[in-house]
Amino acid sequence: MVKAHSLLYAVYICLIVSIICGALLYFSGLYNQLNLYYNLQEELYIHNQSVVNYALGNKLAGEELPVDEESGVEGSYEAKPYGLLHVLLAKTMLRNDTVVSAHIVGSYSKDKTAIHLANLSKSLRYSGTVRLNGDNQLPSTFIETSYLTNKASQLTVTGQNTVSEIKLPEINASFKKIFEGIKTEKVALSDFEKEKGMPYFNSFLKDTKEIEVGVNTLSGLNVKGNFVLRAKDSIVVSKNAVLEDVILIAPKITFEEGFKGTVQAFATKGIELQEKVTLKYPSVVCVYNDTDGESKLKIKKECKIEGAIVLFGNTILTINKNLMVIDEKSKILGDIYCTGKLDLKSDVQGSVYTNYFFHKNGSSVNDNMIVDIEIDPQKRPEYFMAIPLFEAKKNKYGIIKKVL
């Protein structure tokens, strides 16, 4: 005879086995659901990248995309301006699941211009060692030699020299539109909730938020994303401020020594970069002066700028009142456009457009002279997409950086 407690043990064992089997089946079902979820997310991300590639290939022109017949995934995209750049928003959807990405995009530059000097006065002169690796449009195809010191002068030109016109090429209308007004939503910084130690952040999926800076000095401020910081008088950006992909607008803007960030800075009276300021790619410093008054864009020693440097708006009659000064030992990766007078003492990996050069050395000023510099648009890295100085051509578009 089988003892009663033996039957009870058998029941317990069967119960335990059934619980284990049920748990295994349950976890197997959860695993299958999780696997399906991740497969769906992967499908959405892959399709999202396809939407981005399609938008870039379509020159950002808006177009309705067909539904993927196999997967049923829907896709759409939108390109909207952000300062002088564009943000591409790509969205993919399947039932209740959505994947969205945001990218700052631009077009690759094919500009082989080294110097474009307007034909307003005497021909270009040089002293010291000068290298121009690109095409040049100048008042005269002959570049005169001058001797500021006892050092021998040497000129290397690898492109073609042609005679320029009186006016520089018309700058992209987008530059002026920035000063006419940007579509934003005005808010206070206190409206944003953030954890201690985290930055103020506004997604590029949302409307651009504009904050009026009450305290002129941005000290210790950490701001990232879709923001415009505006001041009625001036903005001073301190070394300990953290600004990434932010737009600054004020009559005067100063970056204190040692600051590092990514900004688009727009001023009407002047911008100054003190020594060892780094503006990372893609950044813009731009002064617009359409009055008879003075303006100045000053870049001091050992700065690094990746993007564009622009001073424009003045007439030919007020060239002498609008100055751009770039001191020695700085690194300029990008293009320079100046409708005033330009004192250039640092090498440029890009193109230079100006109405007038001058070289100040102590108390002496030499007109239309460049000294000991290299201007080489061929040294732009392959990834580099220039800020569009002129109306966009049908160049190849690409992603500058992913912001979401």
Side-chain angles (χ1 to χ4, degrees):
M1 293 181 61
V2 179
K3 296 183 178 180
H5 65 270
S6 298
L7 292 174
L8 185 61
Y9 290 154
V11 170
Y12 285 155
I13 291 171
C14 290
L15 181 61
I16 292 171
V17 170
S18 64
I19 291 173
I20 293 173
C21 291
L24 291 173
L25 290 173
Y26 177 72
F27 284 118
S28 176
L30 286 179
Y31 175 79
N32 288 333
Q33 291 182 20
L34 187 63
N35 196 38
L36 288 172
Y37 172 78
Y38 282 122
N39 287 338
L40 174 60
Q41 291 298 306
E42 183 180 8
E43 180 74 23
L44 287 172
Y45 277 110
I46 292 173
H47 198 279
N48 188 273
Q49 187 59 51
S50 297
V51 171
V52 171
N53 294 335
Y54 180 87
L56 296 175
N58 203 35
K59 314 297 184 186
L60 307 184
E63 185 177 315
E64 187 174 342
L65 300 179
V67 177
D68 189 299
E69 294 182 358
E70 293 185 6
S71 63
V73 177
E74 299 179 58
S76 63
Y77 68 90
E78 174 191 4
K80 60 181 184 179
Y82 182 65
L84 295 174
L85 303 168
H86 277 84
V87 175
L88 174 64
L89 306 177
K91 181 186 294 185
T92 48
M93 300 155 288
L94 180 62
R95 296 185 290 275
N96 294 327
D97 291 301
T98 303
V99 169
V100 181
S101 64
H103 310 263
I104 294 178
V105 298
S107 60
Y108 293 97
S109 176
K110 295 181 179 179
D111 191 357
K112 296 181 180 179
T113 300
I115 290 179
H116 188 127
L117 176 61
N119 196 349
L120 293 174
S121 63
K122 63 179 68 175
S123 60
L124 181 65
R125 299 184 295 157
Y126 80 96
S127 179
T129 302
V130 172
R131 176 178 169 81
L132 306 177
N133 185 19
D135 298 331
N136 304 290
Q137 297 187 51
L138 308 168
S140 168
T141 57
F142 179 70
I143 303 176
E144 299 179 16
T145 307
S146 293
Y147 299 94
L148 295 185
T149 65
N150 294 326
K151 186 171 63 174
S153 293
Q154 180 180 358
L155 173 66
T156 304
V157 178
T158 58
Q160 293 184 340
N161 290 349
T162 56
V163 177
S164 60
E165 298 182 358
I166 293 176
K167 293 182 64 176
L168 291 176
E170 196 69 30
I171 196 167
N172 193 334
S174 299
F175 280 81
K176 190 174 180 181
K177 288 180 181 178
I178 301 295
F179 295 90
E180 293 173 347
I182 301 176
K183 185 179 179 182
T184 61
E185 179 184 343
K186 293 180 173 59
V187 297
L189 203 59
S190 57
D191 294 340
F192 288 84
E193 296 182 1
K194 74 178 188 71
E195 297 181 9
K196 187 176 180 181
M198 297 298 290
Y200 292 99
F201 175 74
N202 183 39
S203 170
F204 282 96
L205 300 179
K206 300 178 181 179
D207 293 333
T208 302
K209 308 298 183 185
E210 180 177 319
I211 298 170
E212 185 170 325
V213 181
V215 179
N216 290 344
T217 301
L218 305 182
S219 179
L221 189 64
N222 190 346
V223 181
K224 179 179 180 180
N226 194 8
F227 283 102
V228 172
L229 303 182
R230 186 188 295 269
K232 294 179 180 178
D233 181 29
S234 64
I235 294 176
V236 179
V237 183
S238 67
K239 177 181 179 179
N240 61 6
V242 179
L243 303 179
E244 184 175 350
D245 303 322
V246 175
I247 295 175
L248 304 176
I249 302 177
K252 295 181 180 180
I253 301 174
T254 301
F255 295 91
E256 291 187 347
E257 180 177 346
F259 170 78
K260 295 181 180 180
T262 309
V263 301
Q264 296 184 63
F266 302 94
T268 52
K269 293 183 179 179
I271 295 178
E272 180 177 307
L273 276 66
Q274 296 179 357
E275 293 184 8
K276 299 180 181 179
V277 169
T278 299
L279 299 185
K280 303 176 206 174
Y281 179 64
S283 290
V284 179
V285 285
C286 176
V287 174
Y288 172 58
N289 180 20
D290 63 346
T291 70
D292 291 333
E294 297 180 351
S295 70
K296 188 172 184 179
L297 200 164
K298 171 74 171 179
I299 298 172
K300 294 188 176 182
K301 295 179 181 179
E302 299 182 55
C303 290
K304 182 178 180 180
I305 302 173
E306 299 177 343
I309 306 170
V310 176
L311 184 152
F312 78 110
N314 60 280
T315 66
I316 292 176
L317 299 176
T318 58
I319 287 177
N320 292 330
K321 294 182 178 181
N322 296 271
L323 305 179
M324 181 187 293
V325 178
I326 302 176
D327 285 342
E328 60 269 20
K329 297 182 180 179
S330 289
K331 181 179 179 182
I332 310 300
L333 172 55
D335 300 327
I336 297 173
Y337 185 94
C338 176
T339 57
K341 296 177 68 174
L342 170 60
D343 184 1
L344 179 61
K345 295 176 181 175
S346 289
D347 296 343
V348 179
Q349 297 178 19
S351 302
V352 177
Y353 294 80
T354 186
N355 272 336
Y356 208 85
F357 279 108
F358 75 103
H359 181 81
K360 186 174 182 180
N361 186 15
S363 59
S364 65
V365 177
N366 297 274
D367 293 334
N368 259 4
M369 179 175 286
I370 52 178
V371 179
D372 288 323
I373 61 170
E374 178 184 63
I375 301 175
D376 189 351
Q378 309 296 333
K379 282 191 173 180
R380 296 187 187 104
E382 290 186 4
Y383 68 82
F384 187 81
M385 283 164 274
I387 305 299
L389 290 181
F390 312 110
E391 292 296 336
K393 299 178 181 179
K394 294 183 179 180
N395 294 337
K396 181 181 177 182
Y397 279 78
I399 295 172
I400 295 176
K401 65 184 297 187
K402 186 175 182 181
V403 288
L404 182 64

